[in-house]
Amino acid sequence: MATLKDIARALDLSITQVSRALNDHSDVNEETRLRVKATARAMNYHPNASARKLVSGRSGMVGLVVPQYRNIGQDRIFMEVVAGLSTQFSGRGMQFVLHMMAEQENALPVYQKLIGTAMLDGFVLIDPMEQDPRIDFLRKAGICFVVHGRSGKVIDYPYFDIENEQLAYDLTAHLVRRGHRRIAFLNGIADRSYVTVREQGYIRALRDGGAEILPHLHLHGVMDEAHGLTDTIRLFSGDAPRPTAIVCGNVRLARGVYQGLEALGLSVPGDVSSWRMMTSFRRCGPRPSSRR
C-alpha cells in the first residue's frame, strides 16, 4: 500500500505538501491539490486512521450500533440501510463501522466503550425510542451523531425522517373514504417514537372520518413477516369484530398479512383491503454543530 512518502517522491513534493493537499488546506493551490489526489488514487493510497487521528484529531470513522436479533441476515431492509450507509461514507473518504451488541445488552455502556477507544468520530442512530437515552448521552459527551427518526419534543440535533403521522393519516383516511369502518393497523414496537406518531395519525383519521376506534384492531410488535402472519390470524379469530381493511407498518408485515389471509381462505382485495407504509415527505434536521 502506498504511503505519503511514496506520493511525495513521485511528485517531487514534500510529505507536508502532500498531506495538506489531501486534506484540502487552503494554502495549497488547486492544481497541486488535484495532481496529488489523482496520484494518490492511481497509487491506491488509503490514509492510516491512527495517523490521521494524530494530525487532524479525526479518524474519519462513523459507527452504527445495533442489537443482534433473530434472522438479521434475512432482514433486507436492514441490509439495504447498512449497504447505503457504507457506500455513502466510503464515497466521502470515510469508513463505516457496524457494531453488533448482544440482544439484551445495555446500549449506553457499549457507546461509552466505543467512545473510549477514541477511534470513532460519530454515530448513526436508528430506531429511536420516545425519550432515547442515547441522544442525551452522546449530546452530553460532545460526540457527533445523526438520528434516523426523531425523539423527544425538542429537536435540536441533526436527523433524517419521514412524516410518519401524516403517512398513517393518509392511508387510514383513504380506506375510510372507501367505506371501511373497521380498519386494523399493524404498528411497530410500542416504545418507538415513530410508532407513537403513526398511531396518532391513524386515530385522527378514524375520528375525522367518523369511524369507530376499536383498540383490539391496533397491534404492536416486531415488524416482520412472522408477526404479520400471526397478527392476521389473531384479528380474524375469536368473537371480536373483524377488520375489513389493514394498514401495515412496512413491507415485511404486509407479506405476513398476505400469507395469513391466504391461510384463512381470504383474498386481497376481494375480502380485505391491505395497504402498507411508503416513505415520503422527507425532512432533514438542524445542521450538526461542532459538539453534536
Side-chain angles (χ1 to χ4, degrees):
M1 184 180 294
T3 65
L4 288 176
K5 184 182 290 188
D6 296 327
I7 300 172
R9 186 184 300 115
L11 295 173
D12 195 24
L13 296 171
S14 71
I15 293 176
T16 300
Q17 285 177 298
V18 170
S19 176
R20 295 183 74 79
L22 290 173
N23 287 285
D24 294 317
H25 284 268
S26 59
D27 60 348
V28 181
N29 67 58
E30 184 68 13
E31 181 184 351
T32 300
R33 184 161 42 242
L34 293 175
R35 192 157 56 99
V36 168
K37 290 188 175 183
T39 303
R41 285 194 298 271
M43 297 178 70
N44 195 29
Y45 168 76
H46 297 284
N48 180 279
S50 298
R52 179 162 58 182
K53 182 78 174 178
L54 288 172
V55 173
S56 67
R58 295 182 178 275
S59 65
M61 299 173 67
V62 178
L64 173 66
V65 179
V66 294
Q68 175 74 26
Y69 58 88
R70 179 173 55 89
N71 295 329
I72 189 171
Q74 284 73 51
D75 187 341
R76 192 170 124 192
I77 296 175
F78 174 73
M79 298 308 295
E80 287 178 355
V81 168
V82 171
L85 287 170
S86 182
T87 300
Q88 291 301 316
F89 280 119
S90 177
R92 288 162 172 77
M94 303 175 71
Q95 297 182 51
F96 173 68
V97 178
L98 175 63
H99 181 92
M100 303 298 298
M101 303 188 303
E103 191 168 356
Q104 301 301 323
E105 189 175 4
N106 188 339
L108 295 189
V110 174
Y111 281 94
Q112 180 66 67
K113 182 165 56 175
L114 292 172
I115 291 171
T117 65
M119 288 304 297
L120 294 176
D121 288 338
F123 295 91
V124 176
L125 307 183
I126 63 174
D127 208 16
M129 293 177 280
E130 289 191 53
Q131 298 294 330
D132 201 303
R134 298 174 299 174
I135 292 175
D136 288 336
F137 175 79
L138 292 174
R139 183 193 284 120
K140 290 174 182 176
I143 304 299
C144 296
F145 66 90
V146 61
V147 185
H148 181 207
R150 283 168 277 181
S151 173
K153 294 183 178 179
V154 178
I155 312 298
D156 59 353
Y157 50 82
Y159 71 90
F160 181 86
D161 200 6
I162 62 174
E163 292 293 359
N164 281 289
E165 181 177 355
Q166 192 62 42
L167 278 170
Y169 180 91
D170 289 344
L171 290 176
T172 307
H174 172 79
L175 293 169
V176 170
R177 287 193 298 270
R178 293 179 67 87
H180 293 282
R181 290 297 178 268
R182 296 193 305 277
I183 302 170
F185 183 21
L186 305 191
N187 209 343
I189 299 173
D191 66 349
R192 300 302 192 262
S193 57
Y194 71 90
V195 171
T196 299
V197 295
R198 284 183 176 184
E199 179 180 0
Q200 293 168 356
Y202 164 70
I203 291 175
R204 181 162 60 90
L206 292 176
R207 285 176 175 158
D208 288 353
E212 186 178 1
I213 299 172
L214 301 172
H216 76 280
L217 296 184
H218 181 216
L219 302 180
H220 295 96
V222 177
M223 294 197 295
D224 58 18
E225 290 185 33
H227 279 81
L229 189 153
T230 56
D231 284 348
T232 301
I233 300 298
R234 175 180 169 187
L235 287 168
F236 287 87
S237 302
D239 299 326
R242 299 178 177 183
T244 60
I246 302 173
V247 175
C248 301
N250 69 2
V251 177
R252 289 181 293 161
L253 277 172
R255 291 196 191 104
V257 168
Y258 273 71
Q259 294 168 14
L261 292 173
E262 183 178 4
L264 293 167
L266 300 173
S267 67
V268 177
D271 300 304
V272 183
S273 289
S274 176
W275 290 79
R276 60 184 171 87
M277 292 286 181
M278 299 291 287
T279 58
S280 63
F281 305 106
R282 296 181 178 180
R283 173 181 294 172
C284 290
R287 289 182 178 273
S289 72
S290 60
R291 291 188 57 79
R292 287 194 293 275

